[in-house]
Amino acid sequence: MTFRFTTAGESHGPGLVAIVEGLPAGLALDREALDRDMARRQLGHGRGGRMKIERDAVEIRSGVRHGRTLGSPIAVLVANRDYPNWEERMNPWPVDGEVEEVHTPRPGHADLAGLLKFGHTDVRNVLERASARETAARVAAGGLAKAFLAELGVTVHSHVLQIGSVRAAERERLEPTDFGEVDDSPVRCLDPEAGTLMVDEIDRLRKANETLGGTFEVIAFGLVAGLGSHVSWEERLDARLAQAVVSIQAIKGVALGEAWEIAGRPGSEAHDEIFWSEARGWARETNRAGGLEGGMSNGEALIVRAAMKPLSTLTQPLRSVDTETKQPAEALRERTDSTTVPAAAVVGEAMVALALAGAYREKLGGDHIDDVRAALTAYKERIGWKR
Ligand code: EPS
């Protein structure tokens, strides 16, 4: 059983598409839950004018009937409400009149390398696809993965740890219930004081024509031990999670568990000692590994952190070169967000959910969701899993 997904779409084109293949039949989908995630991705202090235009919603085009999956590929469409304002510039078909080309690549964006690689003369042919608008399609796909995981007792959450120079206080051992109100924070931060300072920092830097990056954490609860595998590199769950999260636009680093902190500690303070009791079964008192050992889940909460660079579209542009004249020029100045770390955390949830859904499909197989549940029960029984 191969679980996979792909997306298509340009930022200002007619819309975005995601195709998810390999979910079992009979899985119940909740339309409101899917759209709730789409709206959560649009949240966050520091968003620009575009989010006032878009009202992202999932339109299912195939693979679902009367609220349940059919086992066939699921195609979803997310419309770009901004398209009518770009119809001439982004029309799939020739238009009357000249469409002005962009020749000033932004440092930090895909603009220059993409232009050279694909032989375009118009930077827009690259930037439209490189844009983080594409993450709306990932969140739509991730919503389907989350629905599947929920059937297996897994939930995926996220929160912002840092925006610009402001860091939230570190929290030990978070539980699913800690995330009930995270979307009420304007920056999706669990530390209200830091959240207020983050909002101030965003406002201050926006006035100075700056953009901001930051870090966020995604946590998945309820995993069974043994997802992924130690036996070959491409089956390692940690490697797949890292790829999934680093593939998000502007993400430059990923940490699994306390990766960077552990690197400087002695071994006796770096690992999670193993315990067993009749009541709990296998358990750990600490979770420094972030739920991953030897490329497999160990049943503890799965913790992935990501670092996002400041957005590369600046209202006070950096120095660049005109790709036609080769003369110095200011980089493209476009409408932009000041920061999208809160939104990126929601995209992180989607990518982690998609990676985990793939790992569960491989582990448990099954054509109908009932087959998958039965396989999970049988596996838990075999390994004596009590959670
Ligand atoms: C983006 C630039 C902005 C963002 C966009 C990503 O769009 P625009 O150029 O239309 O103002 O708003 O993000 C989204 C549209 C979205 O849905 O997240 C970029 O260049 O990456």
Side-chain angles (χ1 to χ4, degrees):
M1 165 71 302
T2 304
F3 176 85
R4 56 183 183 168
F5 87 102
T6 192
T7 72
E10 277 74 40
S11 180
H12 304 100
L16 303 157
V17 173
I19 297 182
V20 179
E21 242 185 303
L23 282 175
L27 173 67
L29 297 178
D30 175 354
R31 195 176 184 171
E32 278 169 26
L34 294 175
D35 283 342
R36 206 176 309 129
D37 260 7
M38 299 303 286
R40 291 174 64 237
R41 194 200 65 92
Q42 292 199 262
L43 290 175
H45 192 75
R47 289 292 237 160
R50 177 76 182 269
M51 286 306 102
K52 294 187 178 71
I53 299 171
E54 303 298 341
R55 293 282 173 281
D56 292 338
V58 173
E59 286 178 46
I60 304 244
R61 282 287 179 265
S62 75
V64 180
R65 191 159 177 238
H66 304 152
R68 284 193 187 266
T69 55
L70 299 174
S72 48
I74 301 176
V76 303
L77 185 67
V78 182
N80 284 332
R81 284 171 56 136
D82 204 14
Y83 178 61
N85 303 319
W86 292 78
E87 210 166 341
E88 194 170 62
R89 278 170 290 178
M90 289 304 296
N91 203 300
W93 301 110
V95 292
D96 294 333
E98 273 297 292
V99 173
E100 202 183 330
E101 292 197 349
V102 178
H103 295 145
T104 45
R106 290 158 294 175
H109 218 280
D111 298 352
L112 180 59
L115 191 88
L116 299 173
K117 175 180 166 69
F118 286 94
H120 298 303
T121 55
D122 187 353
V123 169
R124 186 161 298 288
N125 287 345
V126 176
L127 73 86
E128 284 287 337
R129 179 64 185 157
S131 162
R133 173 72 186 148
E134 185 259 352
T135 60
R138 298 193 196 208
V139 170
L144 301 174
K146 282 184 184 177
F148 172 63
L149 294 174
E151 290 290 336
L152 308 178
V154 176
T155 58
V156 185
H157 305 267
S158 71
H159 64 120
V160 168
L161 293 169
Q162 181 183 348
I163 292 184
S165 64
V166 184
R167 280 171 201 264
E170 285 288 337
R171 297 265 305 259
E172 294 273 308
R173 288 253 160 186
L174 287 164
E175 299 292 336
T177 47
D178 290 318
F179 292 90
E181 284 154 24
V182 69
D183 291 331
D184 296 337
S185 156
V187 281
R188 307 196 60 257
C189 180
L190 291 175
D191 173 351
E193 275 171 42
T196 305
L197 294 174
M198 287 174 189
V199 169
D200 292 347
E201 174 118 327
I202 294 165
D203 289 342
R204 189 170 62 76
L205 284 171
R206 177 165 43 199
K207 281 190 198 113
N209 292 309
E210 287 288 2
T211 57
L212 302 88
T215 64
F216 63 83
E217 182 171 77
V218 179
I219 311 187
F221 297 97
L223 297 172
V224 72
L227 298 169
S229 176
H230 64 290
V231 303
S232 25
W233 68 269
E234 74 271 30
E235 289 179 46
R236 294 182 69 104
L237 185 61
D238 44 11
R240 290 158 138 201
L241 286 162
Q243 185 192 16
V245 174
V246 151
S247 75
I248 301 169
Q249 292 82 340
I251 301 302
K252 302 305 288 181
V254 173
L256 303 168
E258 297 177 21
W260 298 102
E261 294 81 3
I262 283 172
R265 280 188 214 147
S268 60
E269 292 165 32
H271 303 292
D272 306 305
E273 290 177 306
I274 300 173
F275 303 92
W276 189 89
S277 68
E278 195 61 56
R280 290 162 69 205
W282 300 108
R284 313 295 175 104
E285 306 272 299
T286 53
N287 186 17
R288 294 155 174 157
L292 291 159
E293 287 173 315
M296 289 170 282
S297 60
N298 65 9
E300 299 302 308
L302 183 118
I303 303 176
V304 184
R305 290 187 172 192
M308 184 177 201
K309 66 183 178 182
L311 300 173
S312 50
T313 308
L314 297 174
T315 44
Q316 195 162 299
L318 297 175
R319 285 180 294 178
S320 182
V321 171
D322 186 303
T323 51
E324 293 294 304
T325 66
K326 308 292 187 297
Q327 293 302 306
E330 279 190 348
L332 173 66
R333 190 195 301 253
E334 282 227 307
R335 174 181 63 187
T336 184
D337 305 301
S338 305
T339 190
T340 55
V341 181
V346 177
V347 181
E349 288 175 25
M351 292 308 294
V352 166
L354 286 156
L356 292 176
Y360 267 104
R361 290 303 280 139
E362 276 164 30
K363 178 94 195 75
L364 302 173
D367 297 311
H368 191 279
I369 187 67
D370 291 348
D371 303 342
V372 186
R373 269 195 294 253
L376 181 61
T377 304
Y379 174 63
K380 283 185 175 177
E381 212 170 286
R382 173 169 79 71
I383 65 172
W385 198 250
K386 298 191 187 247
R387 286 180 252 170

